[in-house]
Amino acid sequence: MSTTTLTAPARTVEARRTLRRLLALDAVVTGANALAYLTLSGPLGRFLGAGPGLLLALGAFLALYAAGVGLLAARPHPPAAGVRVVVEANLAWAAVSSAALALWLSPTTAGAVWTVLQALVVAGLALAQYRSLKARQSSQV
C-alpha cells in the first residue's frame, strides 16, 4: 500500500481543521472589534479621530459579518464558495481601509496606525484563509 493513500485523509482533515480555525479566529477578532466599536464608540472615536456614528455603523456591520463567518466556521465542511466570499470581503476591507485613510479620513496618529495595522492583519488573514482553502481542495483530489 502506498503512503499517499494513507496520508491523504490526514492531510484532508488537517486542511479542513486549519481552515475552520482561521474562520473562527476571523469571527472572534471581528466580533471583539464590533463589540468595542458598539460599546465604546465615544471614547474610541476620540482616541482614533473617528466619529462615534461611524464607529457605531462599523460595529453593527462587523457584528453581522462576525456572526456569518462564525456560522461558516462552525460547519464541519465550510463550502468553498462561502470561504471565497470571506476572503474577498477581507481583501475588500483592507483595500477600503487603506483608501479611506488616504482619501477621506483624518484620524489621530493612533487612528492612522490602527487603520494600517488592522488592514494588514485582515489582508494577512485573507491570504491564510485562501491558502488553507487551496490546501483543502488539493488534498481532496
Side-chain angles (χ1 to χ4, degrees):
M1 183 174 257
S2 113
T3 57
T4 303
T5 58
L6 293 176
T7 59
R11 281 194 314 260
T12 301
V13 169
E14 186 57 35
R16 185 174 60 242
R17 185 177 301 140
T18 300
L19 180 57
R20 290 181 66 213
R21 286 179 179 163
L22 287 168
L23 291 168
L25 175 64
D26 192 347
V28 168
V29 170
T30 302
N33 206 17
L35 185 60
Y37 286 174
L38 289 169
T39 60
L40 300 170
S41 62
L44 278 177
R46 288 187 294 281
F47 180 68
L48 300 174
L54 173 62
L55 292 183
L56 283 172
L58 288 174
F61 170 77
L62 291 174
L64 292 173
Y65 182 77
V69 175
L71 288 173
L72 193 60
R75 297 190 60 176
H77 304 281
V83 175
R84 277 191 220 99
V85 167
V86 169
V87 168
E88 290 170 8
N90 284 341
L91 291 174
W93 179 271
V96 170
S97 294
S98 301
L101 183 60
L103 299 174
W104 65 83
L105 291 180
S106 300
T108 62
T109 301
V113 169
W114 171 251
T115 302
V116 170
L117 287 178
Q118 63 84 29
L120 290 172
V121 167
V122 171
L125 188 55
L127 179 61
Q129 291 165 335
Y130 176 77
R131 286 183 174 169
S132 183
L133 175 63
K134 288 299 177 192
R136 183 188 78 174
Q137 290 173 331
S138 67
S139 68
Q140 291 175 341
V141 174

